[in-house]
Amino acid sequence: MKFDWKGVFPAVTTKFTDNDELDFDAFDININAQLEAGVDGIILGGSLGEASVLTSDEKFALLKHTLEYVGGKVPVILNIAEQSTSSAIDIAKKAFEYGASGLMLLPPMRYSSDEDETIAYLTAIAESTPLPIMIYNNPVDYKTEITLDMFERLRAYPTIQAIKESTRNIINTTRLINRFGDRYKIFTGVDPIATESLIMGAHGWVAGLVDAFPKETVAIYRLVKAGRIAEAIAIHRWFLPVLELDIHAKLVQYIKLAEVATGIGTENVRAPRLPLKGAEREKVLNVINAALAVRPQLPEGSWGRLEKVQAN
């Protein structure tokens, strides 16, 4: 499947039953809400998808189910976050066999690889698959940074097409554009600074709070791209306290709680994560409920399947 690396790509959460099995019914409710809002792609098995506690069989069951449910409406991307090169290559090959549209790829997990090791890992996977790849650059959480000079070395690999920019340094969007032009499509990967990144030229948004607020997320993206910046900023300012739930160590629990509040998810997580309780749970709920109490009316046409916002 050929597709444009642009738009809103939710990093969706993985739903579990009370018996700790994959909950496809709850998952479908959320995916349907994403499609209704007009998202442009779906990413499975990312940080929010609790990939580290999913078995290989579960990952591919989720991929198979999502591909069938989405039915080609949007691309379905599988994240690869592995410790060994051989395991990552195996997943890339199997993802292609299952029909995934593309891959999101992190540097090696647990081991802090140096520049040559990181490049060797990423390029080995790129050479093993025809699938288009988004490199996930998140040194804050995963410790290994992919620098501009490293992206210079990666530009020779045509399957490496996009970057999830999660360094939390807003300047990097401009640095990447200045150095590489349109060679890479840039996706902002940090919700609280996503609006700023889009204004500065990011092509898309790998979003987290979209899992609970799909229409608002899509509206911000489309309004920015239509040049209706003031309207996008107004939604962003309302949204910011909720968006900041994306940059906490318990972002999975926080965002799942928000999904429950908006009626499109469940609170179940897989151990070692535990559901929120006590004062922490109340604090997060207060943030979510305060936002819901003044949830804005979105501009007409700013969300929905195949809708396009008119420029001013």
Side-chain angles (χ1 to χ4, degrees):
M1 180 178 181
K2 294 182 182 292
F3 61 93
D4 290 331
W5 287 103
K6 65 179 182 180
V8 175
F9 283 46
V12 296
T13 57
T14 301
K15 308 298 188 293
F16 299 106
T17 67
D18 292 342
N19 295 324
D20 199 34
E21 298 172 342
L22 294 179
D23 187 344
F24 290 116
D25 290 338
F27 181 81
D28 290 351
I29 290 171
N30 191 273
I31 295 298
N32 188 62
Q34 303 302 325
L35 295 175
E36 180 186 9
V39 301
D40 302 282
I42 300 291
I43 298 177
L44 304 172
S47 307
L48 271 172
E50 297 178 71
S52 62
V53 294
L54 296 178
T55 67
S56 180
D57 286 346
E58 286 175 326
K59 290 177 185 177
F60 286 103
L62 196 61
L63 176 60
K64 180 176 183 292
H65 176 86
T66 306
L67 288 166
E68 291 174 353
Y69 188 82
V70 168
K73 295 183 180 72
V74 297
V76 177
I77 311 298
L78 182 65
N79 183 55
I80 295 180
E82 294 296 313
Q83 298 180 57
S84 73
T85 303
S86 60
S87 294
I89 289 173
D90 286 345
I91 290 174
K93 289 180 175 178
K94 196 170 181 180
F96 174 69
E97 292 170 2
Y98 269 70
S101 311
L103 304 170
M104 187 166 74
L105 178 58
L106 279 156
M109 295 288 96
R110 295 192 181 181
Y111 175 65
S112 295
S113 51
D114 68 17
E115 178 171 332
D116 287 343
E117 290 169 328
T118 302
I119 293 293
Y121 175 86
L122 298 175
T123 57
I125 297 155
E127 290 173 339
S128 75
T129 178
L131 290 176
I133 294 170
M134 171 189 286
I135 300 294
Y136 183 2
N137 190 20
N138 185 349
V140 176
D141 293 319
Y142 298 112
K143 309 312 175 189
T144 300
E145 181 172 6
I146 306 168
T147 65
L148 266 68
D149 287 343
M150 293 166 73
F151 280 117
E152 186 70 51
R153 296 174 64 180
L154 293 171
R155 72 187 301 171
Y157 296 84
T159 53
I160 298 177
Q161 298 176 3
I163 300 168
K164 181 182 177 184
E165 166 44 42
S166 296
T167 63
R168 304 192 190 181
N169 185 347
I170 187 67
I171 299 172
N172 270 359
T173 299
T174 300
R175 286 174 175 157
L176 286 164
I177 293 171
N178 283 350
R179 183 146 177 184
F180 300 111
D182 278 339
R183 169 58 185 85
Y184 297 111
K185 299 302 181 184
I186 303 162
F187 278 63
T188 176
V190 183
D191 277 0
I193 58 171
T195 302
E196 290 91 335
S197 299
L198 292 169
I199 290 170
M200 295 311 298
H203 303 89
W205 181 357
V206 177
L209 267 303
V210 68
D211 291 339
F213 294 90
K215 293 175 183 177
E216 288 84 355
T217 307
V218 170
I220 289 174
Y221 172 81
R222 292 185 179 172
L223 289 167
V224 169
K225 294 307 176 183
R228 294 166 60 175
I229 305 301
E231 291 170 279
I233 289 173
I235 300 170
H236 168 80
R237 286 178 176 160
W238 160 81
F239 209 178
L240 182 60
V242 178
L243 293 175
E244 290 182 320
L245 300 177
D246 183 58
I247 54 172
H248 191 278
K250 292 186 180 180
L251 78 163
V252 174
Q253 291 97 316
Y254 289 5
I255 290 175
K256 283 191 168 184
L257 191 57
E259 288 180 326
V260 172
T262 57
I264 54 173
T266 69
E267 207 172 336
N268 293 337
V269 291
R270 176 168 283 179
R273 289 181 178 87
L274 295 173
L276 300 175
K277 62 182 181 180
E280 182 180 24
R281 190 174 189 277
E282 288 304 311
K283 181 179 179 180
V284 176
L285 275 175
N286 286 341
V287 171
I288 297 165
N289 289 332
L292 287 173
V294 290
R295 196 171 188 174
Q297 183 173 350
L298 302 175
E300 184 176 354
S302 61
W303 60 271
R305 283 297 299 152
L306 303 178
E307 295 291 334
K308 184 176 181 180
V309 178
Q310 297 298 314
N312 287 333

